[in-house]
Amino acid sequence: MKLVVISGTVFGTSEEVAYHAVELLLKAGIEVEYKQQWQLDELVAADPQALLFISSTTGMGEMPPALQLLTVQLEDRLPSWAGRPAGIIALGDSSYGETFCAAGEQLHELCGLLGLVELQEMLRLDASETVTQAQDSEPWVERFAAELTAWESV
Ligand SMILES: Cc1cc2nc3c(=O)[nH]c(=O)nc-3n(C[C@H](O)[C@H](O)[C@H](O)COP(=O)(O)O)c2cc1C
């Protein structure tokens, strides 16, 4: 089963988390394809069997640039990915109040639209509480890897 990892970052932390997740997922024996910037056509052509979104929130609760166009295009195109497993890691800062991890919430809605099945609740990494997001994401990523492996063997 090929897992496609999609990230969106402003300052690079989400990419660090993504690279670390890719390392852990590969170690767990999962086939992974990661790009810092996916174009819609190459994403559809990659035919992901599972998806992992990793994104920070910027502006007033907005998606980072790498995801702004892609997510709108995915909403328009709605590729036939229904029933495929997915996960979301959202980076944010709770000092932003109501827009805390808003990009993650939008990705959660997108997963719903696409019919993707989130294997576990979104991980929220709060920059007010941690500066070691990649390390902090490990238990969530390891659980995600285990869920994916179990999914594959059903
Ligand atoms: C200009 C700016 C706006 C931000 N807006 C939000 C926001 O609305 N909600 C939120 O949860 N975090 C917000 N953040 C915090 C970032 O999402 C957080 O610091 C994250 O860890 C950055 O990850 P990155 O390095 O991958 O971009 C904002 C940060 C900056 C600098």
Side-chain angles (χ1 to χ4, degrees):
M1 176 188 288
K2 180 170 63 184
L3 169 74
V4 164
V5 178
I6 300 169
S7 71
T9 191
V10 179
F11 299 112
T13 324
S14 301
E15 270 170 18
E16 266 175 50
V17 174
Y19 278 117
H20 195 55
V22 168
E23 217 175 290
L24 294 176
L25 290 157
L26 287 172
K27 248 188 226 167
I30 292 162
E31 186 190 344
V32 185
E33 198 170 338
Y34 173 49
K35 272 174 163 245
Q36 290 163 314
Q37 172 81 66
W38 284 95
Q39 306 299 327
L40 180 69
D41 285 343
E42 54 189 18
L43 184 57
V44 172
D47 191 25
Q49 300 304 303
L51 290 111
L52 174 60
F53 297 93
I54 302 174
S55 178
S56 63
T57 296
T58 188
M60 313 252 283
E62 282 143 35
M63 294 268 185
L67 291 181
Q68 278 176 9
L69 180 61
L70 183 67
T71 49
V72 172
Q73 289 174 329
L74 279 171
E75 279 177 28
D76 280 353
R77 177 116 154 223
L78 292 179
S80 318
W81 295 341
R84 299 184 188 186
I88 303 168
I89 299 179
L91 285 81
D93 187 329
S94 58
S95 68
Y96 285 87
E98 282 196 356
T99 65
F100 177 51
C101 288
E105 301 298 340
Q106 289 171 48
L107 288 166
H108 172 66
E109 278 173 31
L110 179 63
C111 284
L113 276 175
L114 290 165
L116 296 172
V117 182
E118 283 178 69
L119 294 181
Q120 52 189 6
E121 199 186 323
M122 176 195 318
L123 173 65
R124 293 171 179 80
L125 295 165
D126 184 356
S128 282
E129 287 185 352
T130 182
V131 289
T132 53
Q133 284 93 337
Q135 212 175 309
D136 297 354
S137 68
E138 280 176 8
W140 189 98
V141 173
E142 277 160 7
R143 240 182 3 254
F144 183 71
E147 294 273 350
L148 262 187
T149 307
W151 181 283
E152 212 172 355
S153 61
V154 172

PDB file of all heavy atoms in Angstrom, residues 8-15 56-62 91-94 96 99-102 125 127 133, ligand 1:
ATOM      1  N   GLY A   8       2.471  21.217   4.233  1.00  0.00           N
ATOM      2  CA  GLY A   8       2.413  22.649   3.972  1.00  0.00           C
ATOM      3  C   GLY A   8       3.078  23.362   5.127  1.00  0.00           C
ATOM      4  O   GLY A   8       2.780  23.076   6.293  1.00  0.00           O
ATOM      5  N   THR A   9       4.015  24.231   4.805  1.00  0.00           N
ATOM      6  CA  THR A   9       4.776  24.891   5.860  1.00  0.00           C
ATOM      7  C   THR A   9       5.013  26.355   5.530  1.00  0.00           C
ATOM      8  O   THR A   9       4.939  26.747   4.360  1.00  0.00           O
ATOM      9  CB  THR A   9       6.134  24.176   6.054  1.00  0.00           C
ATOM     10  OG1 THR A   9       6.756  24.655   7.238  1.00  0.00           O
ATOM     11  CG2 THR A   9       7.073  24.388   4.871  1.00  0.00           C
ATOM     12  N   VAL A  10       5.285  27.162   6.544  1.00  0.00           N
ATOM     13  CA  VAL A  10       5.733  28.532   6.319  1.00  0.00           C
ATOM     14  C   VAL A  10       7.197  28.651   6.737  1.00  0.00           C
ATOM     15  O   VAL A  10       8.034  29.123   5.976  1.00  0.00           O
ATOM     16  CB  VAL A  10       4.856  29.553   7.079  1.00  0.00           C
ATOM     17  CG1 VAL A  10       5.362  30.973   6.840  1.00  0.00           C
ATOM     18  CG2 VAL A  10       3.403  29.439   6.643  1.00  0.00           C
ATOM     19  N   PHE A  11       7.497  28.136   7.921  1.00  0.00           N
ATOM     20  CA  PHE A  11       8.863  28.281   8.450  1.00  0.00           C
ATOM     21  C   PHE A  11       9.668  26.991   8.465  1.00  0.00           C
ATOM     22  O   PHE A  11      10.782  26.982   8.973  1.00  0.00           O
ATOM     23  CB  PHE A  11       8.811  28.876   9.857  1.00  0.00           C
ATOM     24  CG  PHE A  11       8.187  30.238   9.873  1.00  0.00           C
ATOM     25  CD1 PHE A  11       6.957  30.435  10.483  1.00  0.00           C
ATOM     26  CD2 PHE A  11       8.805  31.306   9.252  1.00  0.00           C
ATOM     27  CE1 PHE A  11       6.369  31.689  10.484  1.00  0.00           C
ATOM     28  CE2 PHE A  11       8.221  32.560   9.244  1.00  0.00           C
ATOM     29  CZ  PHE A  11       6.989  32.752   9.860  1.00  0.00           C
ATOM     30  N   GLY A  12       9.084  25.911   7.975  1.00  0.00           N
ATOM     31  CA  GLY A  12       9.846  24.663   7.844  1.00  0.00           C
ATOM     32  C   GLY A  12       9.574  23.604   8.898  1.00  0.00           C
ATOM     33  O   GLY A  12      10.010  22.461   8.736  1.00  0.00           O
ATOM     34  N   THR A  13       8.856  23.946   9.967  1.00  0.00           N
ATOM     35  CA  THR A  13       8.646  22.946  11.026  1.00  0.00           C
ATOM     36  C   THR A  13       7.809  21.773  10.515  1.00  0.00           C
ATOM     37  O   THR A  13       8.113  20.615  10.823  1.00  0.00           O
ATOM     38  CB  THR A  13       7.942  23.573  12.254  1.00  0.00           C
ATOM     39  OG1 THR A  13       8.408  24.896  12.415  1.00  0.00           O
ATOM     40  CG2 THR A  13       8.228  22.780  13.508  1.00  0.00           C
ATOM     41  N   SER A  14       6.783  22.061   9.741  1.00  0.00           N
ATOM     42  CA  SER A  14       5.930  20.975   9.233  1.00  0.00           C
ATOM     43  C   SER A  14       6.723  20.044   8.326  1.00  0.00           C
ATOM     44  O   SER A  14       6.467  18.830   8.301  1.00  0.00           O
ATOM     45  CB  SER A  14       4.736  21.543   8.460  1.00  0.00           C
ATOM     46  OG  SER A  14       3.992  22.382   9.283  1.00  0.00           O
ATOM     47  N   GLU A  15       7.685  20.595   7.599  1.00  0.00           N
ATOM     48  CA  GLU A  15       8.531  19.738   6.761  1.00  0.00           C
ATOM     49  C   GLU A  15       9.416  18.854   7.612  1.00  0.00           C
ATOM     50  O   GLU A  15       9.638  17.690   7.305  1.00  0.00           O
ATOM     51  CB  GLU A  15       9.377  20.573   5.807  1.00  0.00           C
ATOM     52  CG  GLU A  15       8.662  20.808   4.502  1.00  0.00           C
ATOM     53  CD  GLU A  15       9.344  21.822   3.625  1.00  0.00           C
ATOM     54  OE1 GLU A  15      10.548  22.114   3.832  1.00  0.00           O
ATOM     55  OE2 GLU A  15       8.669  22.342   2.718  1.00  0.00           O
ATOM     56  N   SER A  56       0.951  23.369   8.914  1.00  0.00           N
ATOM     57  CA  SER A  56       0.805  24.444   9.898  1.00  0.00           C
ATOM     58  C   SER A  56      -0.353  25.340   9.463  1.00  0.00           C
ATOM     59  O   SER A  56      -0.950  25.150   8.399  1.00  0.00           O
ATOM     60  CB  SER A  56       2.103  25.270  10.006  1.00  0.00           C
ATOM     61  OG  SER A  56       2.388  25.918   8.790  1.00  0.00           O
ATOM     62  N   THR A  57      -0.676  26.304  10.322  1.00  0.00           N
ATOM     63  CA  THR A  57      -1.691  27.310  10.004  1.00  0.00           C
ATOM     64  C   THR A  57      -0.984  28.657   9.964  1.00  0.00           C
ATOM     65  O   THR A  57      -0.096  28.921  10.773  1.00  0.00           O
ATOM     66  CB  THR A  57      -2.793  27.336  11.087  1.00  0.00           C
ATOM     67  OG1 THR A  57      -3.461  26.070  11.084  1.00  0.00           O
ATOM     68  CG2 THR A  57      -3.807  28.426  10.834  1.00  0.00           C
ATOM     69  N   THR A  58      -1.378  29.504   9.010  1.00  0.00           N
ATOM     70  CA  THR A  58      -0.745  30.816   8.927  1.00  0.00           C
ATOM     71  C   THR A  58      -1.818  31.904   8.775  1.00  0.00           C
ATOM     72  O   THR A  58      -3.010  31.600   8.766  1.00  0.00           O
ATOM     73  CB  THR A  58       0.290  30.842   7.771  1.00  0.00           C
ATOM     74  OG1 THR A  58       1.015  32.073   7.838  1.00  0.00           O
ATOM     75  CG2 THR A  58      -0.376  30.723   6.407  1.00  0.00           C
ATOM     76  N   GLY A  59      -1.363  33.143   8.668  1.00  0.00           N
ATOM     77  CA  GLY A  59      -2.288  34.273   8.483  1.00  0.00           C
ATOM     78  C   GLY A  59      -3.347  34.288   9.571  1.00  0.00           C
ATOM     79  O   GLY A  59      -3.044  34.101  10.749  1.00  0.00           O
ATOM     80  N   MET A  60      -4.594  34.458   9.169  1.00  0.00           N
ATOM     81  CA  MET A  60      -5.699  34.412  10.132  1.00  0.00           C
ATOM     82  C   MET A  60      -6.418  33.080   9.976  1.00  0.00           C
ATOM     83  O   MET A  60      -7.569  33.036   9.535  1.00  0.00           O
ATOM     84  CB  MET A  60      -6.672  35.562   9.854  1.00  0.00           C
ATOM     85  CG  MET A  60      -5.991  36.895   9.659  1.00  0.00           C
ATOM     86  SD  MET A  60      -6.253  37.979  11.028  1.00  0.00           S
ATOM     87  CE  MET A  60      -7.921  38.511  10.706  1.00  0.00           C
ATOM     88  N   GLY A  61      -5.692  32.009  10.274  1.00  0.00           N
ATOM     89  CA  GLY A  61      -6.299  30.689  10.165  1.00  0.00           C
ATOM     90  C   GLY A  61      -6.245  30.114   8.768  1.00  0.00           C
ATOM     91  O   GLY A  61      -7.133  29.368   8.371  1.00  0.00           O
ATOM     92  N   GLU A  62      -5.185  30.465   7.999  1.00  0.00           N
ATOM     93  CA  GLU A  62      -5.118  30.004   6.609  1.00  0.00           C
ATOM     94  C   GLU A  62      -4.148  28.843   6.400  1.00  0.00           C
ATOM     95  O   GLU A  62      -3.260  28.610   7.206  1.00  0.00           O
ATOM     96  CB  GLU A  62      -4.699  31.168   5.705  1.00  0.00           C
ATOM     97  CG  GLU A  62      -5.845  32.129   5.430  1.00  0.00           C
ATOM     98  CD  GLU A  62      -5.373  33.567   5.368  1.00  0.00           C
ATOM     99  OE1 GLU A  62      -4.250  33.804   4.889  1.00  0.00           O
ATOM    100  OE2 GLU A  62      -6.135  34.440   5.825  1.00  0.00           O
ATOM    101  N   LEU A  91      -0.011  21.623  12.792  1.00  0.00           N
ATOM    102  CA  LEU A  91       0.857  22.449  13.631  1.00  0.00           C
ATOM    103  C   LEU A  91       0.210  23.811  13.770  1.00  0.00           C
ATOM    104  O   LEU A  91      -0.314  24.364  12.791  1.00  0.00           O
ATOM    105  CB  LEU A  91       2.241  22.604  12.998  1.00  0.00           C
ATOM    106  CG  LEU A  91       3.161  21.384  13.081  1.00  0.00           C
ATOM    107  CD1 LEU A  91       2.823  20.372  11.995  1.00  0.00           C
ATOM    108  CD2 LEU A  91       4.621  21.804  12.994  1.00  0.00           C
ATOM    109  N   GLY A  92       0.238  24.335  14.979  1.00  0.00           N
ATOM    110  CA  GLY A  92      -0.372  25.631  15.202  1.00  0.00           C
ATOM    111  C   GLY A  92       0.146  26.237  16.492  1.00  0.00           C
ATOM    112  O   GLY A  92       1.159  25.781  17.038  1.00  0.00           O
ATOM    113  N   ASP A  93      -0.550  27.262  16.930  1.00  0.00           N
ATOM    114  CA  ASP A  93      -0.164  27.950  18.157  1.00  0.00           C
ATOM    115  C   ASP A  93      -1.459  28.374  18.852  1.00  0.00           C
ATOM    116  O   ASP A  93      -2.241  29.155  18.279  1.00  0.00           O
ATOM    117  CB  ASP A  93       0.699  29.164  17.772  1.00  0.00           C
ATOM    118  CG  ASP A  93       1.292  29.845  18.984  1.00  0.00           C
ATOM    119  OD1 ASP A  93       0.662  29.815  20.062  1.00  0.00           O
ATOM    120  OD2 ASP A  93       2.395  30.427  18.851  1.00  0.00           O
ATOM    121  N   SER A  94      -1.666  27.848  20.051  1.00  0.00           N
ATOM    122  CA  SER A  94      -2.948  28.090  20.735  1.00  0.00           C
ATOM    123  C   SER A  94      -3.123  29.553  21.113  1.00  0.00           C
ATOM    124  O   SER A  94      -4.237  29.983  21.418  1.00  0.00           O
ATOM    125  CB  SER A  94      -3.079  27.196  21.969  1.00  0.00           C
ATOM    126  OG  SER A  94      -2.010  27.438  22.844  1.00  0.00           O
ATOM    127  N   TYR A  96      -3.209  31.805  19.134  1.00  0.00           N
ATOM    128  CA  TYR A  96      -4.053  32.397  18.094  1.00  0.00           C
ATOM    129  C   TYR A  96      -5.547  32.173  18.355  1.00  0.00           C
ATOM    130  O   TYR A  96      -6.393  32.583  17.568  1.00  0.00           O
ATOM    131  CB  TYR A  96      -3.674  31.862  16.702  1.00  0.00           C
ATOM    132  CG  TYR A  96      -2.394  32.470  16.186  1.00  0.00           C
ATOM    133  CD1 TYR A  96      -1.160  31.920  16.504  1.00  0.00           C
ATOM    134  CD2 TYR A  96      -2.417  33.624  15.407  1.00  0.00           C
ATOM    135  CE1 TYR A  96       0.027  32.486  16.051  1.00  0.00           C
ATOM    136  CE2 TYR A  96      -1.243  34.191  14.945  1.00  0.00           C
ATOM    137  CZ  TYR A  96      -0.024  33.621  15.279  1.00  0.00           C
ATOM    138  OH  TYR A  96       1.138  34.185  14.830  1.00  0.00           O
ATOM    139  N   THR A  99      -8.481  30.411  15.858  1.00  0.00           N
ATOM    140  CA  THR A  99      -7.952  29.824  14.617  1.00  0.00           C
ATOM    141  C   THR A  99      -6.855  28.800  14.904  1.00  0.00           C
ATOM    142  O   THR A  99      -6.094  28.430  14.008  1.00  0.00           O
ATOM    143  CB  THR A  99      -7.415  30.906  13.647  1.00  0.00           C
ATOM    144  OG1 THR A  99      -6.293  31.543  14.266  1.00  0.00           O
ATOM    145  CG2 THR A  99      -8.486  31.913  13.277  1.00  0.00           C
ATOM    146  N   PHE A 100      -6.778  28.313  16.145  1.00  0.00           N
ATOM    147  CA  PHE A 100      -5.777  27.291  16.484  1.00  0.00           C
ATOM    148  C   PHE A 100      -5.962  26.075  15.563  1.00  0.00           C
ATOM    149  O   PHE A 100      -7.047  25.498  15.500  1.00  0.00           O
ATOM    150  CB  PHE A 100      -5.914  26.880  17.956  1.00  0.00           C
ATOM    151  CG  PHE A 100      -4.962  25.776  18.365  1.00  0.00           C
ATOM    152  CD1 PHE A 100      -3.600  25.874  18.101  1.00  0.00           C
ATOM    153  CD2 PHE A 100      -5.432  24.643  19.023  1.00  0.00           C
ATOM    154  CE1 PHE A 100      -2.717  24.864  18.477  1.00  0.00           C
ATOM    155  CE2 PHE A 100      -4.559  23.625  19.401  1.00  0.00           C
ATOM    156  CZ  PHE A 100      -3.204  23.733  19.131  1.00  0.00           C
ATOM    157  N   CYS A 101      -4.887  25.754  14.836  1.00  0.00           N
ATOM    158  CA  CYS A 101      -4.888  24.594  13.925  1.00  0.00           C
ATOM    159  C   CYS A 101      -6.039  24.627  12.913  1.00  0.00           C
ATOM    160  O   CYS A 101      -6.572  23.581  12.528  1.00  0.00           O
ATOM    161  CB  CYS A 101      -4.915  23.294  14.726  1.00  0.00           C
ATOM    162  SG  CYS A 101      -3.349  22.967  15.559  1.00  0.00           S
ATOM    163  N   ALA A 102      -6.415  25.827  12.466  1.00  0.00           N
ATOM    164  CA  ALA A 102      -7.542  25.961  11.534  1.00  0.00           C
ATOM    165  C   ALA A 102      -7.271  25.248  10.200  1.00  0.00           C
ATOM    166  O   ALA A 102      -8.195  24.690   9.591  1.00  0.00           O
ATOM    167  CB  ALA A 102      -7.852  27.439  11.281  1.00  0.00           C
ATOM    168  N   LEU A 125      -0.184  19.994  17.251  1.00  0.00           N
ATOM    169  CA  LEU A 125       1.093  20.317  17.884  1.00  0.00           C
ATOM    170  C   LEU A 125       1.128  21.822  18.133  1.00  0.00           C
ATOM    171  O   LEU A 125       1.111  22.612  17.189  1.00  0.00           O
ATOM    172  CB  LEU A 125       2.243  19.877  16.972  1.00  0.00           C
ATOM    173  CG  LEU A 125       2.353  18.352  16.748  1.00  0.00           C
ATOM    174  CD1 LEU A 125       3.273  18.057  15.563  1.00  0.00           C
ATOM    175  CD2 LEU A 125       2.864  17.654  17.999  1.00  0.00           C
ATOM    176  N   ALA A 127       2.683  25.236  19.227  1.00  0.00           N
ATOM    177  CA  ALA A 127       3.983  25.919  19.353  1.00  0.00           C
ATOM    178  C   ALA A 127       4.093  26.703  20.671  1.00  0.00           C
ATOM    179  O   ALA A 127       5.198  27.092  21.062  1.00  0.00           O
ATOM    180  CB  ALA A 127       4.207  26.842  18.155  1.00  0.00           C
ATOM    181  N   GLN A 133       8.458  19.564  17.843  1.00  0.00           N
ATOM    182  CA  GLN A 133       7.271  18.972  17.228  1.00  0.00           C
ATOM    183  C   GLN A 133       7.559  17.613  16.588  1.00  0.00           C
ATOM    184  O   GLN A 133       6.727  16.697  16.704  1.00  0.00           O
ATOM    185  CB  GLN A 133       6.685  19.930  16.166  1.00  0.00           C
ATOM    186  CG  GLN A 133       5.915  21.110  16.752  1.00  0.00           C
ATOM    187  CD  GLN A 133       6.754  22.341  16.959  1.00  0.00           C
ATOM    188  OE1 GLN A 133       7.970  22.269  17.078  1.00  0.00           O
ATOM    189  NE2 GLN A 133       6.125  23.502  17.005  1.00  0.00           N
TER     190      GLN A 133
HETATM  191  C1  LIG B   1       2.030  35.101  10.716  1.00  0.00           C
HETATM  192  C2  LIG B   1       1.643  33.859  11.463  1.00  0.00           C
HETATM  193  C3  LIG B   1       0.308  33.529  11.564  1.00  0.00           C
HETATM  194  C4  LIG B   1      -0.078  32.367  12.268  1.00  0.00           C
HETATM  195  N1  LIG B   1      -1.417  32.067  12.382  1.00  0.00           N
HETATM  196  C5  LIG B   1      -1.788  30.985  13.096  1.00  0.00           C
HETATM  197  C6  LIG B   1      -3.169  30.664  13.251  1.00  0.00           C
HETATM  198  O1  LIG B   1      -4.058  31.364  12.785  1.00  0.00           O
HETATM  199  N2  LIG B   1      -3.499  29.553  13.963  1.00  0.00           N
HETATM  200  C7  LIG B   1      -2.547  28.729  14.519  1.00  0.00           C
HETATM  201  O2  LIG B   1      -2.901  27.735  15.145  1.00  0.00           O
HETATM  202  N3  LIG B   1      -1.216  29.015  14.388  1.00  0.00           N
HETATM  203  C8  LIG B   1      -0.818  30.103  13.697  1.00  0.00           C
HETATM  204  N4  LIG B   1       0.517  30.397  13.558  1.00  0.00           N
HETATM  205  C9  LIG B   1       1.500  29.531  14.221  1.00  0.00           C
HETATM  206  C10 LIG B   1       2.138  28.474  13.314  1.00  0.00           C
HETATM  207  O3  LIG B   1       1.169  27.638  12.708  1.00  0.00           O
HETATM  208  C11 LIG B   1       3.075  27.608  14.167  1.00  0.00           C
HETATM  209  O4  LIG B   1       4.105  28.405  14.668  1.00  0.00           O
HETATM  210  C12 LIG B   1       3.651  26.407  13.423  1.00  0.00           C
HETATM  211  O5  LIG B   1       4.388  25.601  14.315  1.00  0.00           O
HETATM  212  C13 LIG B   1       4.561  26.867  12.285  1.00  0.00           C
HETATM  213  O6  LIG B   1       4.894  25.727  11.523  1.00  0.00           O
HETATM  214  P1  LIG B   1       5.703  25.873  10.132  1.00  0.00           P
HETATM  215  O7  LIG B   1       7.125  26.158  10.511  1.00  0.00           O
HETATM  216  O8  LIG B   1       5.562  24.527   9.487  1.00  0.00           O
HETATM  217  O9  LIG B   1       5.061  26.941   9.329  1.00  0.00           O
HETATM  218  C14 LIG B   1       0.913  31.539  12.872  1.00  0.00           C
HETATM  219  C15 LIG B   1       2.262  31.898  12.758  1.00  0.00           C
HETATM  220  C16 LIG B   1       2.623  33.043  12.078  1.00  0.00           C
HETATM  221  C17 LIG B   1       4.071  33.433  12.025  1.00  0.00           C
END
